[in-house]
Amino acid sequence: MKVVDVNKDFDKIIVVDPGKNSVEAIAFDREYNVLGNEYFPSKSKTKRNFFDIDSSSDHQYRVEYEGQKYLVGEGILSDYNFETTKNNTHHQICVYTAIANFVEKPNEKIYLIVGYPSSDFANVDQRNEYIKMLSANGNISFTLNEEEKTFSIVNVSVKPEGVAMKPRVEKIGKQKVRSIDIGGENINYRFYDEKGNTLESLSLDGAGVNHLESFLKTKLRKFINVDLIDVDYIDYLGGVKTCNLKEVQDSDLMGYSNSHEFMEDAIADFIEQKVLGTLKAKDINLRLRGDKILFTGGGSVLLRPYLEEALANNKDNLVFSDTAYWDNCISYAIKDIGDRCKMLPGDKVENMGIAQAAAGKILKETNFRE
């Protein structure tokens, strides 16, 4: 038996990480050759029509599903979805948008693999509701940028977030490691032993980078004249990348000589309160030297210089994933084929050989960066 036989009932395997800040997706054929990858901001907005929309971005989508129109991705002024649950229409529309990007012919049969927060994953009823919501019934008719896409979701496989298999295999090896997956809404923490067994896992709500944006906005209000600056239209996450708010002049600030000084202080406060402090409250102290600490998720790319400064005492144990934005999708695909091969009838050694070969192919094919 070959891996293509395991996937014979599907046209494509599509892996989606429907995050709270961004949506990442990878499409594979039956042999795990990469067909494409896609990302867009995790934003959606219901619309009566698209008359006022002049799209110029490759990551903005005009979609229609079950008679309702939505604008998805870039160019939406509304906030990110701050609901802790992923069992909502917003995530359903984002997942379908990701799938539709890879659908090329009518009625494609899709094997869908998606993620779920570590803490919620143990809630079987909630997880089953998520599967039911995404599965729909029969063929799904979905209009993407005026093009009708039809597909059926043959199966939904749900996997826990924060597993970070690729950097654990390629950068950590057989060592204990604490994995910190910084997303939009939450942080997923997992502690692994030398054999890759999970010793501990949890999710911290309200600690993701979407909350950093609101944290910075709230703090900035205390140090500027809000009659002169519209704090709602400042590019805070862009400011995190440069440690500077280009919309704020030095003379606008009270108590700080410039916005660089303000950003250094505010981001350090956020990391201390929402990340390190919240983990320490659960007896997880990242400042103490010991096990390797692996940072993954898009938020880790954004916060890397600030985390390195905050954890200077532990700098030799810090590892940052090169494929941070895509680690969840890659992990879901590897975990899924391994789980399915364990359930196959016949020779167990042969079946696990299929899974290992597929995992190796996935790792080789997915050297994505941003």
Side-chain angles (χ1 to χ4, degrees), residues 8 31 47 51 68 130 152 259 266 271 294-295 299 313 316 345:
K8 62 183 174 59
E31 296 182 335
K47 300 284 292 183
F51 297 156
Q68 177 63 61
Y130 187 53
S152 60
S259 68
I271 289 174
L294 170 64
F295 285 100
N313 181 60
D316 292 336

Side-chain angles (χ1 to χ4, degrees), residues 9-10 27 44 57 157 192 200 211 259 273 318 335 349:
D9 295 329
F10 325 126
S44 65
S57 168
S157 176
Y192 295 96
E200 186 179 11
H211 293 273
S259 68
Q273 294 175 32
L318 303 184
K335 185 72 167 63
V349 174

